[in-house]
Amino acid sequence: MPRDSFVHLHLHTEYSLLDGAVRMKELMKKAVEFGMPAVAVTDHGNLFGAIEFYQEATRAGVKPIIGCEAYLAPRSHKEKANSLREAAYHFTLLAQNDVGYRNLVKLISTAHLDGFHYRPRIDKELLAQHSAGLIGLSGCLAGEVNSAIQSNNIERAKQAAAEYRDILGAENFFMELHDHGMEEQRQCNRVLPQIAKDLGVGLVAANDVHFLRRDDHDAHDVMLCIGTGKMVQDESRMRYAPELYFKSPAEMRELFKDFPDAITNTLAIGERCNVTIEFGKSKYPEYPVPEGQTREGYLRELCYKGLEERYGERAKIDNQLRERLAYELSVLEKTGFVSYILIVWDFIHFAKGRGIPVGPGRGSAAGSLIAYVLGITDIDPLQFGLIFERFLNPDRVSPPDIDVDFCEARRGEVLEYVRQKYGERRVAQIITFGKLKAKSVVRDVGRVMGLPYAAADRIARMIPNELNITLDSAAEKNSELKRANEATVRIREDARGPLAQCRGARGRRRHRRSRFVRLHPTLPRRQRQRRDQPVSDGPAERSRPAQDGFSRVENVDRDRGHARADSQTRAGVFTKEHSAR
C-alpha cells in the first residue's frame, strides 16, 4: 500500500439508519479519487450494508474492510440498564480475515437476539469467546476508555484498555484517536498515547465519518433531526461537528502530524484485513427424503402422482403432458434445484394439510408444470400457454423465484414448522429498507425546519407522481414548485430552501422492515419479533411490524419496493448465500 496514503477505519454509511449519510457508490468514487487503497465500514451495531459495501468496493478496486461499531455492555449483555447512556459503550471491531468475519457475524447476531436493550449489545465475555480474526479499536468519546478519561479516572481507563488488549492480543488492539476540534477529544488524546505506550499497543487515527463532504453537514443535520424527532432550531438537541466527513489522506496526516504512527497504522491494518466472500454459489438445506429413496426419485414419484390428480385419465394418454413434465424434471435435476422445489412443496403441503389458506401462486412459478402438479401453484401452465423457461432456463441458470401468499393469521404456524424441521439456526428474517422518497422527504424536512405543515404539504403535492423522481427533475417539470421553494427562502431569510435541504436527505434509508425468512445461517441474524411486536432500534428508526416468509435474493442493488397487502406475505425460497435485504 502507498505509504503516503491513509485508510479510514471508522465510517458510517446510510445503514447507520438516519445517522450515517454515506452512500456506497459515492464513497468508493471518493476513495479512488483520494488514491486510498482500502476503506472500512463500521455501522452502528449492525452489518446491514456489509455485502453491498463489499461488492461496491471490489468493483471500484478498493479493498473492503468489514467492521462494526459495536455496542458493548458494561457487564453482561443480558443485564438491563436504567438508561440508554448506561446501557453500552461503543467499540470498533474490524474483521481481519474470514474467521474474523464469521466471528463478527456471530457477535452481532447474538447482540440482536440476546443482548438487545436500547441497542443490540455484546459484552467482554462474548468478545473473548469470538475474538479470533478480529481487530479492535478503543472507539469514540462514547467508548469505555475515553469515558473513563473524561471522568478523570485514568486508572480505570488503563484497566479497561488492558482488558481489551488481553482479549484481542496486543497486536490486535489499538487506541483510537479522533480530532474534530472538541475539547473532550483533546483531553483524551493527551492521555491515550501514554496508555498505549504503557500497555504495548498501537495508536490509530480515525475520523468517525458520517457524511462524505464537509458541505454535506447541513443536510446530514436535517436528517439527524428527522431521526431524533427534533427541530433544527432546538438548541439542546444532539449535533455533529462539521468535521465528521471523509477527509483526504493529506488532511488526516496534517491533523495527526504529531502522531505519524497513528496514520501508518491505518495502512498496516488495511494490509492485514483480507476478507473474501463467495457469491453465486447456492447452499441449500437438503430435503430429508424417506429412507431408501433419492431426492430425484422422490420428486418424480410426487410429480407423477400429482399429474394424475390434476389431469385424471388425460395424464395417461396425453404425451404432451408427460413430455413437458419429463423435460422440466430433467432441467431441475441438471441445475441442482431438486431440494429447493421439495422444500417449497413441503411447507405448502403442510399448510394446506392444516387448513391454512395459501394463495394460488404468482410470478414466473406459474409457468412450471412441476409447481402445478405438486400443488405449489393452482394455475395450469398449459391451459394458459405459460413458459417454463421464465421460471428456470437451462441455458442461463439463475435461481428460480416462487411467490407464495399465506393467510396472515396463521402464517406463523408455517414458519414454526420450517424452523422445527430444518433447524432454528437455518431460518432467519431478512429485512428491507424504507427510503426517504421525494414527497415524504419534503414533508419531513419541512417539519424539522419549522415550516407549517400546510406549506410543506403544498410543496410536496407539486412533485409529479413518477417512480424514483428526483427533486431536481421535479423542479424542472414544475416551475411552480421552483417558485414555491424560492418564496419559502425569502420568507425564512434562509439561503437554503427546503428543496436544497431535501436533496441531501432524499433516498437515504430511514428504517428497516422485517420481511422475509431465508434458509441459511451465513448472515447476521436479528431478534425475531411477533406480528404485534414493533421493531425498534432507537429514535433513528420508525417502528414497523415484523413480517415473515421466504425469499430468494440475487442482487443487492435491486430495490424490491415495499407495497403489499397487510394480510399477505410475499414468499419464495432463499437460494443464494448472501443478501443485503
Side-chain angles (χ1 to χ4, degrees):
M1 290 189 176
R3 308 316 300 174
D4 60 345
S5 189
F6 174 80
V7 175
H8 281 283
L9 298 175
H10 191 146
L11 182 146
H12 297 277
T13 72
E14 57 185 335
Y15 288 97
S16 289
L17 302 176
L18 289 179
D19 182 76
V22 177
R23 291 187 173 107
M24 304 292 186
K25 289 184 179 180
E26 296 175 3
L27 168 64
M28 298 312 161
K29 288 180 181 178
K30 186 62 72 171
V32 170
E33 177 188 329
F34 286 155
M36 291 181 173
V39 67
V41 59
T42 57
D43 284 317
H44 287 300
N46 73 68
L47 297 172
F48 298 157
I51 302 304
E52 181 181 349
F53 171 82
Y54 183 94
Q55 290 178 320
E56 291 294 344
T58 302
R59 277 194 284 264
V62 177
K63 180 190 283 190
I65 302 173
I66 297 177
C68 177
E69 185 171 17
Y71 295 106
L72 200 143
R75 293 171 291 277
S76 169
H77 68 290
K78 296 183 178 180
E79 184 177 327
K80 295 185 177 180
N82 295 322
S83 67
L84 173 60
R85 185 178 296 272
E86 299 174 2
Y89 296 114
H90 293 199
F91 191 73
T92 312
L93 287 170
L94 305 172
Q96 184 176 184
N97 48 39
D98 293 351
V99 172
Y101 174 67
R102 287 193 291 271
N103 276 326
L104 187 61
V105 166
K106 175 64 178 178
L107 287 169
I108 301 308
S109 296
T110 303
H112 281 272
L113 291 169
D114 300 329
F116 202 103
H117 178 63
Y118 290 104
R119 295 288 186 267
R121 306 173 305 154
I122 60 173
D123 58 31
K124 290 177 183 174
E125 183 180 353
L126 271 174
L127 181 59
Q129 293 171 7
H130 304 284
S131 62
L134 290 175
I135 292 174
L137 315 181
S138 59
C140 60
L141 288 176
E144 184 176 7
V145 176
N146 284 340
S147 294
I149 294 173
Q150 292 171 80
S151 300
N152 295 314
N153 192 341
I154 308 304
E155 282 305 311
R156 175 70 193 107
K158 189 172 181 179
Q159 179 186 347
E163 290 175 355
Y164 291 122
R165 177 202 60 186
D166 294 343
I167 290 172
L168 294 164
E171 71 282 5
N172 296 323
F173 176 61
F174 295 82
M175 308 303 291
E176 185 174 348
L177 303 178
H178 292 183
D179 188 355
H180 303 131
M182 301 170 62
E183 179 54 40
E184 295 87 347
Q185 290 172 335
R186 295 192 184 99
Q187 178 187 359
C188 293
N189 291 349
R190 286 192 290 267
V191 177
L192 290 173
Q194 186 59 49
I195 294 178
K197 183 178 180 181
D198 293 343
L199 298 180
V201 300
L203 294 173
V204 68
N207 203 50
D208 198 6
V209 176
H210 279 70
F211 40 92
L212 202 59
R213 296 166 289 270
R214 182 191 290 271
D215 57 11
D216 290 335
H217 174 262
D218 288 346
H220 177 268
D221 195 46
V222 169
M223 188 185 72
L224 196 63
C225 289
I226 294 173
T228 56
K230 301 295 184 179
M231 304 289 284
V232 172
Q233 60 266 34
D234 287 351
E235 293 296 330
S236 59
R237 67 177 174 84
M238 179 174 69
R239 299 172 185 272
Y240 286 160
E243 298 301 314
L244 277 73
Y245 67 95
F246 193 74
K247 292 183 177 178
S248 68
E251 288 176 297
M252 292 301 294
R253 286 180 172 276
E254 175 62 26
L255 191 61
F256 292 98
K257 59 186 177 183
D258 295 332
F259 305 103
D261 287 349
I263 297 294
T264 56
N265 280 338
T266 68
L267 295 166
I269 291 172
E271 288 179 343
R272 290 171 57 188
C273 290
N274 294 284
V275 172
T276 56
I277 299 178
E278 183 182 40
F279 295 95
K281 184 176 180 180
S282 300
K283 297 186 178 181
Y284 305 101
E286 296 290 348
Y287 179 79
V289 295
E291 189 175 350
Q293 289 189 273
T294 65
R295 292 180 181 85
E296 291 77 9
Y298 186 58
L299 177 60
R300 285 180 175 273
E301 179 183 317
L302 290 174
C303 285
Y304 283 106
K305 180 182 177 182
L307 190 69
E308 292 185 8
E309 291 175 355
R310 287 291 196 186
Y311 293 98
E313 287 298 316
R314 181 185 169 191
K316 299 176 181 179
I317 61 175
D318 191 332
N319 288 334
Q320 182 187 10
L321 277 177
R322 304 185 77 83
E323 288 174 3
R324 170 73 174 260
L325 183 58
Y327 166 70
E328 291 192 13
L329 284 168
S330 68
V331 172
L332 208 63
E333 292 170 5
K334 175 184 174 183
T335 53
F337 294 118
V338 171
S339 273
Y340 173 104
I341 205 77
L342 284 171
I343 290 171
V344 181
W345 166 80
D346 180 34
F347 66 73
I348 291 179
H349 180 71
F350 166 83
K352 290 183 175 180
R354 298 299 189 281
I356 300 171
V358 182
R362 293 183 287 112
S364 61
S368 170
L369 183 61
I370 290 177
Y372 179 58
V373 299
L374 289 178
I376 293 173
T377 64
D378 290 317
I379 301 165
D380 184 346
L382 298 182
Q383 179 183 348
F384 296 99
L386 303 179
I387 302 171
F388 172 70
E389 284 75 15
R390 286 195 59 202
F391 175 64
L392 186 59
N393 192 326
D395 297 324
R396 191 183 68 255
V397 179
S398 60
D401 190 12
I402 300 179
D403 301 328
V404 183
D405 299 302
F406 292 110
C407 171
E408 182 185 31
R410 299 186 63 191
R411 69 182 179 206
E413 298 175 42
V414 182
L415 298 177
E416 190 58 33
Y417 169 76
V418 176
R419 292 187 184 104
Q420 292 296 325
K421 183 160 185 174
Y422 298 99
E424 174 71 24
R425 297 200 50 77
R426 305 201 76 177
V427 180
Q429 288 180 331
I430 288 175
I431 54 182
T432 58
F433 296 89
K435 293 183 178 181
L436 291 164
K437 298 297 186 180
K439 291 191 176 186
S440 63
V441 76
V442 167
R443 294 187 176 97
D444 280 340
V445 169
R447 173 176 54 79
V448 301
M449 289 178 64
L451 289 179
Y453 176 80
D457 184 63
R458 177 172 170 268
I459 295 174
R461 289 175 181 274
M462 294 178 188
I463 298 173
N465 292 317
E466 294 182 18
L467 185 65
N468 296 326
I469 191 170
T470 66
L471 294 166
D472 287 334
S473 62
E476 290 176 4
K477 293 178 180 181
N478 189 341
S479 58
E480 187 181 356
L481 173 62
K482 186 175 182 179
R483 288 194 297 271
N485 179 60
E486 292 170 350
T488 305
V489 173
R490 289 193 298 272
I491 292 170
R492 290 174 48 82
E493 297 181 353
D494 190 340
R496 304 190 70 194
L499 290 189
Q501 301 284 11
C502 291
R503 287 188 186 96
R506 182 194 168 274
R508 306 292 181 189
R509 285 163 173 80
R510 68 180 306 161
H511 62 261
R512 69 184 185 216
R513 183 183 306 188
S514 301
R515 199 173 165 204
F516 305 109
V517 166
R518 63 179 178 83
L519 294 173
H520 197 275
T522 303
L523 285 178
R525 302 172 68 205
R526 56 180 297 275
Q527 191 171 27
R528 189 169 72 247
Q529 311 278 346
R530 299 190 307 272
R531 281 191 298 108
D532 57 347
Q533 183 179 13
V535 177
S536 178
D537 190 21
E541 177 187 352
R542 297 196 173 184
S543 296
R544 298 287 182 185
Q547 295 179 319
D548 301 319
F550 296 82
S551 174
R552 169 181 65 81
V553 179
E554 291 183 35
N555 189 332
V556 299
D557 294 330
R558 187 166 125 198
D559 186 359
R560 287 181 175 272
H562 308 297
R564 66 175 178 167
D566 289 340
S567 61
Q568 296 178 329
T569 187
R570 190 176 190 278
V573 173
F574 180 78
T575 61
K576 286 211 172 180
E577 178 180 4
H578 298 290
S579 160
R581 291 282 185 261

